[in-house]
């Protein structure tokens, strides 16, 4: 192992806090003292992590509970200060084994499905818990997120079929900031490499987030570049790189910001989604009571659900058209390029719902 480091200044992902609480719980279950600083092994090629844990105590009947408090680092993050509980309990087994079970507030694949966690999360638990198990013992590991069900309503988990709570889907220990400048530099480097490929034909699908990436692959779209929140600079860079046809593919609750002229889409810089939706509804001729109903919705998704089918179709198509128009205008501020921008929007069920005039003309062409 190549040394040990304190928690990253960029913050640690939710699976790390789960593993730390689980290890603290297992230690007291084995009869050891509570250790408020847990060392987590990431593998021989990565330094171990020193992760603080709030508490751990044995429970009755061969069980114990560990608690940590999530610190995702600087920036706004809905998991900040989230309490992470992990219950561990002995189970019968012929060899050391972990059985993972979703507790309250932890996302599952469907109401009766398995706990939703990434390969990284599972590997981190196994690497740090299995070596501590006595021969002939198995361990039930049940993460519990007391506020997870409520917080999950503010995510797009439902688009992946994840219900009942937050998914434990971090793919590495350190939090990656989609709003950070280094993230933009990586996207721009990926764009330059893609455009320099001899097979590049001037077409690009720019996806907004993991949902867009999954849908693009499902639809056979490509070549695909995933962008974080720096949409505006990436659009300009794409035009500079020689992209001729660009399709913006994203969740309507994200792309609606572009229709309002907001081209850095992280929520801590600007929101305005419902305000933009009300303006689109005004364009579509909705009445004052209908506009007030949109303004009072908890989210863009909820606002579309309260519309009738004809209203939703009209406003959705207008939204896609405005994304195209405002994006094209944004790029035109910085130069005269022939790049045509299309937009295709999907809902929380990851179903394609609307596309603008350019998207209607070019969407299927881009899949050839």
């Amino acid at each position: 192992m190549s040394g040990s480091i304190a928690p990253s200044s960029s913050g640690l992902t939710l699976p790390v806090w789960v593993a730390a609480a689980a290890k603290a719980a297992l230690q007291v279950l084995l009869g050891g003292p509570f250790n408020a600083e847990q060392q987590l092994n990431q593998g021989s090629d990565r330094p171990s992590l020193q992760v603080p844990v709030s508490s751990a105590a044995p429970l009755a009947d061969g069980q114990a509970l560990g608690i940590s408090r999530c610190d995702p680092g600087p920036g706004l993050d809905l998991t900040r200060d989230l309490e992470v509980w992990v219950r561990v309990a002995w189970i019968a087994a012929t060899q050391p084994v972990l059985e993972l079970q979703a507790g309250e507030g932890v996302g599952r694949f469907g109401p009766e499905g398995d706990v939703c966690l990434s390969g990284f999360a599972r590997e981190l638990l196994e690497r740090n818990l299995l070596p501590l198990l006595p021969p002939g013992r198995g361990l039930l590991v049940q993460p519990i997120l007391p506020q997870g069900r409520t917080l999950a309503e503010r995510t797009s988990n439902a688009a992946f079929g994840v219900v009942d709570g937050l998914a434990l889907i971090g793919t590495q220990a350190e939090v990656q900031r989609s709003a950070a400048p280094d993230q933009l530099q990586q996207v721009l480097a990926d764009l330059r490499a893609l455009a320099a490929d001899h097979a590049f034909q001037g077409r690009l699908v720019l996806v907004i987030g993991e949902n867009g990436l999954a849908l693009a692959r499902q639809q056979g779209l490509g070549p695909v570049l995933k962008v974080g929140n720096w949409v505006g600079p990436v659009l300009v860079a794409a035009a500079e790189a020689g992209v001729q046809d660009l399709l913006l593919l994203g969740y309507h609750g994200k792309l609606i910001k572009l229709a309002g002229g907001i081209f850095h889409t992280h929520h801590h810089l600007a929101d305005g989604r419902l305000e933009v939706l009300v303006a689109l509804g005004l364009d579509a001729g909705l009445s004052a009571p209908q506009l007030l109903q949109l303004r009072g919705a908890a989210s863009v998704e909820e606002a579309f659900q309260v519309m009738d089918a004809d209203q939703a179709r009209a406003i959705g198509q207008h939204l896609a058209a405005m994304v195209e128009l405002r994006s094209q205008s944004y790029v035109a501020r910085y130069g005269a390029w022939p790049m045509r921008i299309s937009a295709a929007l999907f809902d929380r069920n990851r179903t394609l719902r609307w596309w603008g005039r350019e998207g209607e003309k070019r969407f299927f062409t881009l899949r050839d």
Side-chain angles (χ1 to χ4, degrees):
M1 191 176 298
S2 55
S4 177
I5 61 172
S8 167
S9 60
S10 65
L12 297 172
T13 59
L14 194 50
V16 174
W17 301 101
V18 169
K23 187 174 180 181
L26 177 55
Q27 287 172 345
V28 299
L29 183 61
L30 290 166
F34 166 59
N35 185 353
E37 195 79 12
Q38 290 295 323
Q39 180 169 295
L40 295 183
N41 176 12
Q42 295 193 83
S44 58
D45 59 336
R46 298 290 307 278
S48 61
L49 295 168
Q50 295 293 334
V51 184
V53 176
S54 303
S55 59
L59 306 174
D61 303 323
Q63 304 179 59
L65 182 71
I67 300 176
S68 62
R69 190 176 290 274
C70 184
D71 179 5
L76 298 180
D77 192 298
L78 60 82
T79 65
R80 177 171 309 286
D81 291 328
L82 174 68
E83 275 201 350
V84 177
W85 301 3
V86 182
R87 182 178 72 91
V88 299
W90 297 125
I91 56 174
T94 58
Q95 60 184 1
V97 66
L98 298 184
E99 179 181 313
L100 300 175
Q101 184 181 96
E104 171 62 27
V106 174
R108 295 180 292 171
F109 290 109
E112 305 299 326
D114 293 334
V115 58
C116 179
L117 81 167
S118 62
F120 166 76
R122 182 180 296 275
E123 182 180 332
L124 193 64
L125 287 166
E126 292 177 346
R127 180 174 285 126
N128 288 279
L129 302 184
L130 286 179
L132 302 180
L133 299 187
R137 290 273 194 157
L139 190 71
L140 171 70
V141 179
Q142 184 187 46
I144 300 165
L145 304 175
Q147 299 301 316
R149 191 183 294 264
T150 300
L151 292 177
E153 296 174 358
R154 295 161 54 188
T155 75
S156 299
N157 282 0
F160 284 109
V162 179
V163 300
D164 295 340
L166 295 174
L168 309 178
I169 55 173
T171 57
Q172 61 184 37
E174 294 79 19
V175 171
Q176 294 300 297
R177 296 286 167 203
S178 62
D182 56 349
Q183 190 268 353
L184 171 61
Q185 295 308 313
Q186 183 59 57
V187 172
L188 295 179
D190 292 342
L191 172 61
R192 288 191 293 269
L194 189 153
D197 190 301
H198 71 277
F200 182 64
Q201 298 180 343
R203 295 174 174 176
L204 178 66
V205 179
L206 199 64
V207 300
I208 315 298
E210 289 293 333
N211 285 342
L213 184 60
L215 184 58
R217 289 170 174 167
Q218 175 189 324
Q219 295 288 321
L221 293 165
V224 176
L225 178 67
K226 178 188 167 188
V227 65
N229 289 295
W230 300 84
V231 180
V234 177
L235 287 175
V236 175
E240 291 177 328
V243 174
Q244 300 292 309
D245 281 299
L246 184 142
L247 173 65
L248 276 166
L249 176 64
Y251 177 51
H252 60 44
K254 196 76 166 177
L255 283 183
I256 193 171
K257 293 188 178 184
L258 276 60
I262 302 168
F263 284 86
H264 187 300
T265 58
H266 197 282
H267 59 84
H268 82 268
L269 291 182
D271 193 341
R273 287 171 291 184
L274 290 173
E275 289 80 2
V276 174
L277 187 60
V278 169
L280 295 173
L282 183 64
D283 291 344
L286 267 60
S287 66
Q290 289 171 326
L291 294 174
L292 287 173
Q293 188 176 34
L294 296 188
R295 184 65 184 87
S299 66
V300 172
E301 181 75 20
E302 181 181 296
F304 272 104
Q305 289 174 351
V306 301
M307 300 179 201
D308 64 38
D310 290 339
Q311 289 173 346
R313 185 181 307 108
I315 294 179
Q317 289 173 344
H318 184 38
L319 166 58
M322 288 303 297
V323 171
E324 291 182 348
L325 179 63
R326 297 300 291 268
S327 298
Q328 203 78 59
S329 297
Y330 181 93
V331 172
R333 297 181 207 165
Y334 300 95
W337 294 285
M339 183 175 76
R340 295 174 293 265
I341 300 176
S342 308
L345 285 64
F346 57 85
D347 62 16
R348 200 163 210 176
N349 295 320
R350 212 164 63 194
T351 300
L352 278 171
R353 293 284 298 276
W354 314 288
W355 40 84
R357 189 171 301 167
E358 292 298 321
E360 189 172 7
K361 288 191 291 186
R362 294 183 169 83
F363 180 70
F364 291 103
T365 304
L366 284 166
R367 291 198 282 183
D368 293 343

